[in-house]
Amino acid sequence: MNISQQIIASAQKTIAIEQEAIAHLHTLIDEEFAQAVSVIYNSVGRVIITGIGKSAIIAQKIVATLNSTGTPSIFMHAADAIHGDLGTIQQDDVVICISKSGNTPEIKVLVPLIKKTNNPLIAITSNRDSFLGTQADYVLHAYVSVEACPNNLAPTTSTTAQLVIGDAVAVALLDLRGFSDKDFAKYHPGGALGKKLYLRVSDLTEANERPSVAPNASIKEVIVEISAKRLGVTAVIENTEIIGIITDGDLRRMLSENDNLEGLTARDIMSASPKTIENDAMAVKAKRVLEENGISQLLATNQGIYAGVVHVHDLIKEGII
């Protein structure tokens, strides 16, 4: 076996082991899981998530997911908690403690301190019979039989399982809250993700020119309009109504098919009944229309009136594509 074959085999084995573990997790989702999620849902406080080592890193990711989907959460490192950060936990908070073994020294010190505060304690652990598993009010069983690590030592499968359980909690809460894409947009205003959720066609068209010609415009007038507005397209307007569209591709085809341009007008070379989109539609819808029809430009309308052009380059610029 050469080195490439060895790498591929190792990677495939890792994925297979973790895939099997994840496939088994859904059998561990039970009434206790539902009760734990209900406690979080009905709480007026925050979710405090704690752990040690690699589990602490998973805890931070789960905190980020919960915060972004409407459940206020805070990460508290287990080691820091027993050295002054226990005050992070307030009266109405729910605490989630993550530990594969449930028996690490820090967890054994921390859990009794949490129990004294009378905050609900939820465990995410592979070992129900561990110290954490027996002390927690609710156990989310993230059982794995073996790590993907050949030595069965490095947290691999176990942290993947913890992450999946955390996602299951977050999505269950999202469903209970009826968390919509508009709610999601409020928490993700920046970057390409945020733009997909709030950017509208009007945000794109307002920065563009609005090329247009009359149906009886000459070919020269069409070429000048398309060149001047630099969008590779012009709308053909008659009595405020869009009756056609001419692209630079249409011009190239016209030039290749006609030796004599005398008397040709915009109406002769336009594509009738062009694809349009309302100005208040989401930009992602414009992307979908462009892709489905294999076109680069789309005419926008405002209550049926020509409002501008959406170009595929606008979507690329904004990170929608």
Side-chain angles (χ1 to χ4, degrees), residues 27-42:
T27 66
L28 305 179
I29 302 300
D30 53 12
E31 182 60 29
E32 189 170 11
F33 180 93
Q35 291 172 359
V37 172
S38 295
V39 167
I40 297 172
Y41 176 67
N42 292 314

Side-chain angles (χ1 to χ4, degrees), residues 66 117 130 142 175 305:
L66 288 172
T117 66
S130 64
D175 287 340
I305 305 300

Side-chain angles (χ1 to χ4, degrees), residues 79-232:
D80 293 336
I82 59 179
H83 291 285
D85 281 4
L86 198 62
T88 301
I89 305 173
Q90 300 298 302
Q91 181 177 350
D92 296 317
D93 294 340
V94 177
V95 181
I96 297 178
C97 188
I98 305 176
S99 173
K100 177 193 175 183
S101 71
N103 288 315
T104 58
E106 293 86 355
I107 297 301
K108 286 187 174 182
V109 173
L110 177 60
V111 167
L113 299 175
I114 296 173
K115 297 289 286 184
K116 285 183 180 180
T117 66
N118 293 318
N119 294 84
L121 176 60
I122 300 170
I124 298 179
T125 182
S126 181
N127 185 2
R128 274 189 172 276
D129 298 325
S130 64
F131 180 81
L132 173 61
T134 56
Q135 292 296 310
D137 299 304
Y138 306 93
V139 175
L140 308 185
H141 200 191
Y143 174 76
V144 296
S145 60
V146 63
E147 298 286 7
C149 165
N151 300 313
N152 195 27
L153 293 173
T156 45
T157 312
S158 59
T159 47
T160 300
Q162 292 167 358
L163 193 61
V164 170
I165 291 294
D167 285 343
V169 170
V171 174
L173 288 166
L174 182 153
D175 287 340
L176 287 174
R177 299 188 197 286
F179 199 81
S180 68
D181 56 353
K182 291 182 180 178
D183 296 316
F184 201 77
K186 290 191 298 185
Y187 295 97
H188 299 77
L193 178 58
K195 289 179 180 179
K196 287 181 180 180
L197 294 167
Y198 73 77
L199 200 68
R200 296 189 179 274
V201 169
S202 57
D203 297 317
L204 303 175
T205 58
E206 66 181 6
N208 289 339
E209 297 276 5
R210 276 193 286 177
S212 67
V213 295
N216 60 353
S218 68
I219 297 303
K220 179 180 180 180
E221 290 174 315
V222 172
I223 293 174
V224 169
E225 182 69 358
I226 291 178
S227 299
K229 301 301 171 60
R230 304 176 66 178
L231 289 168

Side-chain angles (χ1 to χ4, degrees), residues 1-14 150:
M1 179 183 295
N2 61 36
I3 188 167
S4 293
Q5 292 172 326
Q6 181 181 350
I7 291 169
I8 292 170
S10 176
Q12 290 177 334
K13 182 178 179 181
T14 298

